[in-house]
Amino acid sequence: MDGKAVVVTGGTRGVGAGIARAFAEAGAEVLVCARRPPEVPLKGVEFAPLDLRDADAVRAFFGALPRLDVLVNNAGGGPYRRLADADAERHAKVVELNLLAPLTASLAAYDHLRRARGAVVMIGSVSGSRPSPGSAAYGAAKAGLESLARSMAVEWAPDVRVNTLVVGMVRTELAHLHYGGEDGVEAVSRTVPLGRLATPADIGAAAVFLASDAAAYISGASLLVHGGGERPAFLDAATANKET
């Protein structure tokens, strides 16, 4: 990635910071954008303030860039919220951040990427392909993001490659909020076939691969980065072949 210009949205902490570090370590010129700067500066990474939900600001941001080779649409997330516990407008804000914001950023970056014959990497989630109770709007948005990426890959070929990283559970600085401290993290890790949660560096390495020439013939794909997935619950409930 030597000399490549890369933008990572929401790249100031957690998975986004891991992605930004991986590109910087691969030799890219990395710019991360988010509403707030990173608490700890990332070595070799520049920061620009940007609210990805402000379409005019997004267009101005990308319009001011001198060039762009890779866009990583990482910004996203959402609180734990059951569907009936909030009105549709609250859920729509989650969809806006996780689906509409990546669309807005990609469109704003398109001219740069077309000239560079560049790449877009969408950061998806396993929540987009399985039930996601407590984060249904987030899961629906991530499902839509994968579909968007596949269509975008066809419409923008051969000039721009577009792929999705389908990310499983990741151990970040906020993992305790999701899994309940170290004991919770360890318990959840045991449900993953590889025996651990992903690290941000794992996701970063996969993002660099999809953006690199090593993936020159990969477009419209969804790469699962989830440690083997989730063990089917029925296997633990079934009584066949169990010792009595």
Side-chain angles (χ1 to χ4, degrees), residues 13-242:
R13 66 182 184 183
V15 169
I19 293 170
R21 288 191 195 97
F23 275 100
E25 290 168 359
E29 299 171 3
V30 184
L31 176 62
V32 299
C33 54
R35 286 184 296 170
R36 291 179 291 274
E39 294 181 3
V40 178
L42 303 173
K43 183 179 179 181
V45 176
E46 296 186 14
F47 168 77
L50 180 65
D51 185 344
L52 273 300
R53 294 168 297 185
D54 184 337
D56 289 336
V58 170
R59 285 187 283 266
F61 169 80
F62 283 100
L65 295 179
R67 58 173 293 208
L68 181 64
D69 297 285
V70 178
L71 169 63
V72 182
N73 281 307
N74 165 78
Y80 180 86
R81 180 183 294 139
R82 289 188 173 274
L83 284 170
D85 291 342
D87 56 31
E89 288 79 5
R90 293 283 295 259
H91 295 300
K93 291 183 181 299
V94 175
V95 176
E96 178 185 17
L97 176 61
N98 290 279
L99 178 58
L100 298 184
L103 172 60
T104 301
S106 299
L107 289 171
Y110 173 69
D111 286 340
H112 284 306
L113 295 169
R114 179 176 53 82
R115 285 191 292 268
R117 295 187 71 85
V120 177
V121 179
M122 304 290 197
I123 304 303
S125 170
V126 294
S127 293
S129 57
R130 57 149 169 77
S132 189
S135 56
Y138 173 81
K142 291 299 188 181
L145 189 65
E146 275 194 76
S147 178
L148 173 65
R150 288 192 292 268
S151 296
M152 193 179 290
V154 175
E155 290 196 16
W156 291 4
D159 299 318
V160 182
R161 293 187 302 108
V162 186
N163 292 291
T164 304
L165 282 184
V166 182
V167 178
M169 295 179 288
V170 185
R171 184 167 189 159
T172 69
E173 59 267 39
L174 299 179
H176 64 283
L177 299 178
H178 299 281
Y179 308 123
E182 193 61 32
D183 289 344
V185 169
E186 292 302 319
V188 172
S189 295
R190 290 193 292 272
T191 72
V192 179
L194 287 188
R196 66 175 179 87
L197 304 188
T199 67
D202 291 323
I203 311 306
V208 169
F209 164 69
L210 283 181
S212 74
D213 290 341
Y217 199 63
I218 300 175
S219 193
S222 296
L223 177 60
L224 294 167
V225 187
H226 59 9
E230 301 176 5
R231 179 179 171 83
F234 79 86
L235 292 177
D236 296 319
T239 59
N241 300 319
K242 286 187 176 182

